[in-house]
Amino acid sequence: MSEQRCRLPGWRNKLMSAAQAAELIDDGMIVGMSGFTRAGEAKAVPLALAERAHSTPLSITLMTGASLGNDIDAKLTEAGVLARRMPFQVDTTLRRAINRGEVMFIDQHLSETVELLRNKQLGNLDIAVIEACAITEEGGIVPTASVGNSASFAILAERVIIELNLNSPMALEGLHDIYIPQMRPKRTPIPITAPNSRIGLPYIPIDPAKIAAIVLTDGYDSPSNCKPADPDTQRIADHLIEFFVSEVAQGRLSNSLLPLQAGIGTMANAVMEGLLSAPFEGLTMYSEVLQDSTFALLDSGKMSFASGSSITLTEECGARVWANLDAYRDRLVLRPQELSNHPGVVRRLGVIAVNTALEIDIYGNVNSTHVCGTRMMNGIGGSGDFARNGQLSIFITKALAKDGDISSLVPFASHVDHCEHDVDIIVTEHGLADLRGLAPRERAPLLIDNCADPLYRDALRDYFERACARGGQTPHCLEQALAWHQALERDGSMRVFSSAGRKPDSIDKN
Amino acid sequence: MSEQRCRLPGWRNKLMSAAQAAELIDDGMIVGMSGFTRAGEAKAVPLALAERAHSTPLSITLMTGASLGNDIDAKLTEAGVLARRMPFQVDTTLRRAINRGEVMFIDQHLSETVELLRNKQLGNLDIAVIEACAITEEGGIVPTASVGNSASFAILAERVIIELNLNSPMALEGLHDIYIPQMRPKRTPIPITAPNSRIGLPYIPIDPAKIAAIVLTDGYDSPSNCKPADPDTQRIADHLIEFFVSEVAQGRLSNSLLPLQAGIGTMANAVMEGLLSAPFEGLTMYSEVLQDSTFALLDSGKMSFASGSSITLTEECGARVWANLDAYRDRLVLRPQELSNHPGVVRRLGVIAVNTALEIDIYGNVNSTHVCGTRMMNGIGGSGDFARNGQLSIFITKALAKDGDISSLVPFASHVDHCEHDVDIIVTEHGLADLRGLAPRERAPLLIDNCADPLYRDALRDYFERACARGGQTPHCLEQALAWHQALERDGSMRVFSSAGRKPDSIDKN
């Protein structure tokens, strides 16, 4: 079995245990590891490193593609290994350490990390730890369920540790398309012209002399924690599909729409699943993560091709897909995240970007990352790569959070990841606001009427009207702009501004 | 003379006065006009339209490349012609009308306007009014000192009015490179691989049947109001050049740097002029507007080529350049702003983007547009196109404004155009902060120490320390986050927070 997976002559000389390989990582190193949306992360070496750090403290800068599974970020955090972490994470333990200021978290556009690294703007990568399903005769690395930043990490690192996962499906070989943009100023156009363009190699080409260790592993990716759509999520999907239908009717989109991108998670997955019963055909994806909905669309024949950087599935969907990967392989490609998220390619293809917002202000500025403007949730991820450059930039959110204590629509965003220029469409369970071609003063009433929860609409209108009376392109009452967030921090709720909770004097001022 | 400029057979049949041509514009129309950074705007028809509107009221949606000269925006505003205006402006009269809510201003990334228009997301363009230096045998339009959005406006509009400017230099012909990306989903890569790539035609190809009027004109572009560098501006230039030298020394840039972009105005121009005495050779520009400094660098031999979308010069520099345009023509190209600012090309070339900030928060979020978060200054322009996608994103500003009443560094940005992910380097007269690879908590002390004016440093440090005590990835004290702006609105000054003006109790809290 391992002979078929590892075709590099003399590879057995590089075999090590995870604990031995972890010894190659020294205190203070910059380390790049595979892993993107809980898919294809190195599993054994990071855990061995955490183990080791409990007895011999050490800390590193850890770069990955995006989030890791198997509690690796939690275990590294608990062992004090993470001095610096980039460009994304979703782990509760790590999140707390970040918000305590113990781990320096560098939140980045997912397309940019390896570009910065290649240009020596993030230091030198000492070592890369990459999960592989196979190693070719020349030492090329065949990744597993994600490419993420693995290709550039392996190419740029001084040494490479490969985790050869004996339980990864051999059918993964041939799925990946590895292309690395040339160094500037000699860079030529990236030749992707459609989601199904294949432009590179099916493996990561590296000098085999750099392979410092091969570790045999057998772990599995953590399954997606994506949940079935609840009624509000279903309404969001319905509003969005009704909008697509109307765009087709008005000749702004064809019946196969344009390549779709969907952020990770339950809400974006539900929107994509809504396309199963929609009247579109020949759909494609040009996205980061391929979730259950992608495979449902491929199975239904509604979708003809999906390009991503990773595959993250629930246990149920994974059982079906991984056992039958050959059946999908002609309709899938996994690319480096630099390309799946590339601004130029996203602009060229005219991607329809669907991402989840944490909060949105009445003018359509979006906060994707910071609770109350201060506490990091996950990170900006790829949302900025797609929202800035796609043909349609859509943000979805439920109008309320925390059982109504939080309105997702607020007078003033406590943090801005996507400025109003990058936001075309907002959808909540209450409806859709089409903000294209509108000035801020036109955006606000539409957003409040169509998207805000009725519980908070009066207060938002009241704020907007009082702000307009003061003037400006984007009117605000600065002394009250963050009052909703202050209430949330103070009382654990924004309800003092809800129709039920508003004080008479604030209503009178209207 | 006009036979040489207008080679379209039968063109005299289309000749009209500006007043007659203005009659083609009806109330409620969407109109696209040439003009970018006060260069190459249609001059006669808009003024005739303003004249007409004084007697017969009408209002339109006006799209341009960027800002107009010759007080056209002021006159159109005064005549009540502008119901809607996009994507940029710099006019005092128009700005006031925007901030009163009388003109709906749609502030856009300059690369995006025609993309939206092409995709029918901004309605149908009824008419285009384009200044030309010549009309070819086939009816092709040779633009004057700017391309801006003129090419797509002329191609997409139902009818075209051409202002043939008899005083524009004939040597302009051959300077332009007109290329229009294909409609999606059939778009191929834009083949620009260097600032000097020529990929299109030297004129705008249109169906001559669409030419509804040709108006002969003889006006001049308004000269640039760029001023010589004052000592603070010179210090900003010095800090930035010292940084470039250090980047070259560390192998992160070559001695010809990378293609340079500089925002419009005195400060960006001064930085570019600083390169005259710097040790770099073979510089290039890939920018929007080519200013005096570009020609000084070309004259000195330091710069080999400059690509832009317009040429905007002071009276003195203009006299030299326009009379000798042939001498520069091999080293210049003017492109549609969709290409000069294209996210994919900017990423490919790795542009060094130098733009001016209005205010910057302690974490490096940049406000380019809104005074006190509400009142529009000019617009985001192309800053987002370059800052997001370039290899280095640099923002420059003086640390103080209004004689010290305003600190450009504030605890919390009152409006965000460029989120911290898009901001690498900040420079003020006091110094430079290199924010690359740093987490927000690391960015703040660096920004405060290196860039803030000493008058406000203590208060910024005090805020930061108190915010850190509360926790978070991006710590804030929400109830005080906008206090500096409230003071400015209330007292006309932030000095209550300056070292001189701070109240003892706010110091004690530290």
Side-chain angles (χ1 to χ4, degrees):
Chain A
M1 175 71 167
S2 48
E3 296 302 330
Q4 192 185 352
R5 289 187 183 272
C6 201
R7 309 187 289 263
L8 176 69
W11 65 279
R12 287 189 182 275
N13 299 331
K14 305 202 178 196
L15 269 183
M16 278 187 206
S17 70
Q20 286 171 314
E23 291 287 339
L24 300 174
I25 299 173
D26 288 335
D27 187 48
M29 276 191 171
I30 302 180
V31 181
M33 291 193 190
S34 63
F36 190 100
T37 58
R38 305 155 64 92
E41 79 274 356
K43 295 170 178 71
V45 174
L47 295 182
L49 185 68
E51 199 57 42
R52 174 182 152 208
H54 282 296
S55 50
T56 317
L58 91 169
S59 70
I60 63 170
T61 294
L62 176 61
M63 304 178 183
T64 58
S67 57
L68 306 178
N70 287 302
D71 287 334
I72 289 172
D73 266 324
K75 287 175 181 161
L76 289 171
T77 303
E78 284 160 1
V81 172
L82 301 180
R84 312 177 70 71
R85 179 78 176 85
M86 62 187 88
F88 189 77
Q89 59 78 40
V90 299
D91 182 83
T92 310
T93 304
L94 172 54
R95 180 183 300 135
R96 287 190 189 128
I98 288 167
N99 286 323
R100 284 193 303 266
E102 294 165 8
V103 176
M104 292 295 106
F105 177 53
I106 298 96
D107 176 25
Q108 293 174 319
H109 298 301
L110 294 187
S111 74
E112 290 194 349
T113 306
V114 296
E115 190 77 87
L116 295 166
L117 196 60
R118 180 181 301 132
N119 301 329
K120 303 182 186 152
Q121 300 191 75
L122 295 177
N124 290 318
L125 195 63
D126 294 296
I127 202 156
V129 188
I130 310 293
E131 190 183 64
C133 111
I135 304 174
T136 69
E137 293 74 358
E138 293 79 28
I141 303 171
V142 180
T144 56
S146 71
V147 179
N149 286 323
S150 299
S152 285
F153 285 167
I155 290 166
L156 295 169
E158 293 186 21
R159 295 203 286 177
V160 179
I161 299 171
I162 299 177
E163 289 196 4
L164 189 67
N165 189 326
L166 304 178
N167 275 330
S168 60
M170 284 296 290
L172 281 165
E173 194 165 354
L175 189 67
H176 313 92
D177 187 43
I178 309 297
Y179 174 97
I180 307 290
Q182 294 95 338
M183 290 300 290
R184 297 160 177 151
K186 299 278 181 193
R187 189 175 294 182
T188 55
I190 291 159
I192 295 170
T193 56
N196 66 355
S197 295
R198 280 195 166 269
I199 63 171
L201 298 169
Y203 56 85
I204 302 166
I206 62 163
D207 175 1
K210 290 207 308 186
I211 301 176
I214 295 174
V215 178
L216 300 181
T217 68
D218 56 8
Y220 291 95
D221 288 345
S222 301
S224 158
N225 44 19
C226 207
K227 292 178 190 66
D230 63 24
D232 281 346
T233 304
Q234 193 52 55
R235 274 179 213 113
I236 292 172
D238 292 347
H239 293 309
L240 192 48
I241 283 160
E242 188 185 338
F243 167 76
F244 288 147
V245 169
S246 140
E247 288 291 288
V248 172
Q250 290 171 71
R252 286 198 281 258
L253 287 174
S254 80
N255 196 48
S256 57
L257 306 181
L258 279 165
L260 295 155
Q261 175 261 337
I264 195 165
T266 302
M267 230 181 299
N269 191 57
V271 166
M272 291 297 118
E273 276 184 351
L275 292 167
L276 281 170
S277 49
F280 313 116
E281 301 291 339
L283 298 171
T284 59
M285 286 196 91
Y286 196 82
S287 195
E288 306 170 312
V289 53
L290 307 182
Q291 303 177 81
D292 287 17
S293 50
T294 304
F295 291 88
L297 285 162
L298 289 170
D299 288 343
S300 75
K302 287 274 184 188
M303 182 170 283
S304 61
F305 200 91
S307 164
S309 192
S310 72
I311 298 175
T312 303
L313 304 175
T314 59
E315 207 145 354
E316 189 192 344
C317 182
R320 191 175 86 242
V321 168
W322 295 124
N324 296 289
L325 196 57
D326 272 329
Y328 294 100
R329 221 172 42 179
D330 290 349
R331 293 176 285 163
L332 291 179
V333 64
L334 294 185
R335 308 178 188 282
Q337 67 195 69
E338 179 180 19
L339 298 186
S340 63
N341 290 32
H342 194 280
V345 177
V346 171
R347 177 68 68 102
R348 185 182 303 150
L349 301 183
V351 169
I352 297 176
V354 182
N355 290 288
T356 307
L358 192 63
E359 77 179 5
I360 304 166
D361 77 17
I362 55 172
Y363 301 112
N365 297 286
V366 168
N367 172 5
S368 299
T369 53
H370 283 70
V371 177
C372 274
T374 59
R375 291 188 302 285
M376 175 56 61
M377 180 67 84
N378 299 326
I380 192 167
S383 56
D385 294 320
F386 292 100
R388 171 70 59 92
N389 297 301
Q391 172 155 333
L392 269 174
S393 167
I394 299 161
F395 282 90
I396 57 179
T397 183
K398 291 188 189 180
L400 297 176
K402 226 182 130 187
D403 295 327
D405 280 328
I406 297 175
S407 172
S408 304
L409 260 91
V410 291
F412 188 98
S414 60
H415 181 88
V416 175
D417 294 290
H418 309 286
C419 59
E420 52 119 346
H421 318 282
D422 296 331
V423 181
D424 296 322
I425 308 286
I426 302 283
V427 196
T428 68
E429 66 272 32
H430 298 294
L432 180 146
D434 181 353
L435 307 176
R436 292 175 295 177
L438 298 185
R441 283 176 189 245
E442 299 171 305
R443 293 175 149 230
L446 204 61
L447 261 169
I448 296 169
D449 290 352
N450 293 10
C451 296
D453 192 273
L455 197 61
Y456 288 96
R457 273 185 207 163
D458 287 348
L460 290 168
R461 281 194 199 109
D462 175 35
Y463 178 90
F464 175 61
E465 284 165 19
R466 282 181 293 120
C468 282
R470 298 189 190 183
Q473 160 83 350
T474 304
H476 277 297
C477 307
L478 290 186
E479 77 288 358
Q480 290 165 16
L482 291 167
W484 295 38
H485 301 89
Q486 290 170 244
L488 181 59
E489 287 202 331
R490 189 183 58 235
D491 313 331
S493 176
M494 294 177 175
R495 278 183 199 271
V496 65
F497 293 99
S498 72
S499 310
R502 288 173 73 213
K503 291 169 199 149
D505 68 348
S506 109
I507 292 166
D508 288 347
K509 274 185 200 158
N510 192 354
Chain B
M1 176 69 167
S2 49
E3 296 303 330
Q4 194 184 352
R5 289 187 181 271
C6 200
R7 309 187 290 264
L8 176 70
W11 68 277
R12 287 189 182 275
N13 299 332
K14 306 203 178 197
L15 270 182
M16 278 186 206
S17 70
Q20 287 171 314
E23 291 286 339
L24 299 175
I25 299 173
D26 290 334
D27 186 49
M29 274 188 172
I30 302 179
V31 181
M33 292 191 187
S34 65
F36 190 100
T37 57
R38 306 156 62 94
E41 78 275 355
K43 296 171 176 69
V45 175
L47 294 182
L49 186 68
E51 199 56 45
R52 173 183 153 210
H54 281 297
S55 51
T56 316
L58 90 168
S59 70
I60 63 169
T61 295
L62 176 60
M63 303 178 185
T64 58
S67 58
L68 307 178
N70 288 300
D71 286 333
I72 289 172
D73 266 324
K75 287 174 181 159
L76 289 172
T77 303
E78 284 160 1
V81 171
L82 301 180
R84 311 176 71 70
R85 180 79 174 86
M86 61 188 89
F88 190 76
Q89 60 77 42
V90 299
D91 183 82
T92 310
T93 304
L94 173 54
R95 180 183 299 135
R96 286 188 189 131
I98 288 168
N99 286 322
R100 285 194 303 265
E102 293 165 9
V103 176
M104 290 298 103
F105 177 53
I106 298 94
D107 176 25
Q108 294 173 320
H109 299 300
L110 294 186
S111 74
E112 289 195 349
T113 306
V114 296
E115 190 76 87
L116 294 167
L117 197 60
R118 181 181 301 132
N119 301 329
K120 303 183 184 151
Q121 299 191 77
L122 294 176
N124 290 317
L125 195 63
D126 294 298
I127 203 154
V129 189
I130 310 292
E131 189 181 66
C133 113
I135 304 175
T136 69
E137 293 75 0
E138 293 80 26
I141 303 170
V142 180
T144 56
S146 70
V147 179
N149 286 323
S150 299
S152 285
F153 285 166
I155 290 166
L156 294 170
E158 292 186 22
R159 295 202 286 178
V160 179
I161 299 171
I162 300 176
E163 289 196 3
L164 191 66
N165 190 326
L166 304 177
N167 275 331
S168 60
M170 284 295 290
L172 281 165
E173 194 166 352
L175 189 66
H176 313 91
D177 187 43
I178 309 297
Y179 174 98
I180 307 290
Q182 294 95 339
M183 291 299 291
R184 297 165 179 148
K186 300 277 181 196
R187 189 174 294 181
T188 55
I190 292 159
I192 296 169
T193 55
N196 66 355
S197 294
R198 282 195 164 269
I199 63 170
L201 298 168
Y203 56 84
I204 301 166
I206 61 163
D207 174 2
K210 290 209 306 187
I211 301 177
I214 296 173
V215 178
L216 300 181
T217 69
D218 57 7
Y220 292 94
D221 288 344
S222 302
S224 159
N225 43 21
C226 208
K227 292 177 189 65
D230 63 23
D232 281 346
T233 305
Q234 194 53 55
R235 274 179 214 112
I236 292 172
D238 293 346
H239 293 308
L240 192 48
I241 283 159
E242 189 184 337
F243 167 75
F244 289 146
V245 169
S246 140
E247 288 290 289
V248 172
Q250 289 171 71
R252 287 197 281 256
L253 288 174
S254 80
N255 197 47
S256 56
L257 305 182
L258 278 165
L260 294 155
Q261 176 261 339
I264 194 163
T266 302
M267 230 181 298
N269 192 57
V271 167
M272 291 296 119
E273 275 182 353
L275 293 168
L276 281 168
S277 49
F280 314 115
E281 302 291 340
L283 298 171
T284 59
M285 285 196 91
Y286 196 83
S287 194
E288 305 170 314
V289 54
L290 308 181
Q291 303 178 78
D292 287 18
S293 50
T294 303
F295 292 87
L297 285 163
L298 289 169
D299 287 345
S300 73
K302 286 275 185 187
M303 181 169 284
S304 60
F305 200 91
S307 165
S309 191
S310 74
I311 299 174
T312 303
L313 304 174
T314 59
E315 206 145 355
E316 189 192 344
C317 181
R320 190 175 87 242
V321 169
W322 296 124
N324 296 290
L325 196 56
D326 272 329
Y328 295 100
R329 222 173 41 179
D330 292 346
R331 292 175 287 162
L332 290 179
V333 63
L334 295 185
R335 308 180 188 280
Q337 68 196 69
E338 179 180 18
L339 297 187
S340 64
N341 290 33
H342 194 280
V345 177
V346 170
R347 177 69 68 101
R348 186 181 302 150
L349 301 182
V351 168
I352 298 176
V354 183
N355 290 289
T356 308
L358 193 63
E359 78 178 6
I360 303 166
D361 77 17
I362 54 172
Y363 301 111
N365 296 286
V366 169
N367 173 6
S368 297
T369 54
H370 285 70
V371 177
C372 275
T374 60
R375 292 187 302 284
M376 175 56 60
M377 180 65 86
N378 299 327
I380 191 166
S383 56
D385 294 321
F386 292 99
R388 171 71 60 92
N389 296 301
Q391 172 153 335
L392 269 174
S393 168
I394 299 162
F395 282 89
I396 57 179
T397 183
K398 292 188 188 179
L400 297 176
K402 227 181 130 187
D403 296 327
D405 280 327
I406 296 175
S407 172
S408 303
L409 258 91
V410 291
F412 189 97
S414 60
H415 180 89
V416 175
D417 294 292
H418 308 287
C419 57
E420 51 120 345
H421 317 283
D422 296 333
V423 180
D424 296 322
I425 307 288
I426 302 282
V427 196
T428 69
E429 66 272 32
H430 298 293
L432 181 145
D434 182 351
L435 308 177
R436 293 176 293 178
L438 298 184
R441 282 177 189 243
E442 298 170 307
R443 293 174 149 232
L446 204 62
L447 261 169
I448 296 169
D449 291 351
N450 293 11
C451 297
D453 192 90
L455 198 59
Y456 289 97
R457 274 186 206 162
D458 286 347
L460 290 169
R461 279 193 201 110
D462 176 34
Y463 177 89
F464 175 62
E465 282 165 21
R466 282 182 292 118
C468 282
R470 298 188 190 184
Q473 160 84 349
T474 304
H476 277 297
C477 307
L478 290 186
E479 76 289 357
Q480 289 165 17
L482 291 166
W484 294 39
H485 301 90
Q486 290 170 244
L488 181 60
E489 288 204 331
R490 188 183 58 234
D491 311 333
S493 175
M494 293 176 175
R495 276 184 201 271
V496 64
F497 293 98
S498 71
S499 309
R502 288 171 75 214
K503 292 167 198 152
D505 67 348
S506 110
I507 293 166
D508 286 348
K509 277 185 199 156
N510 193 350

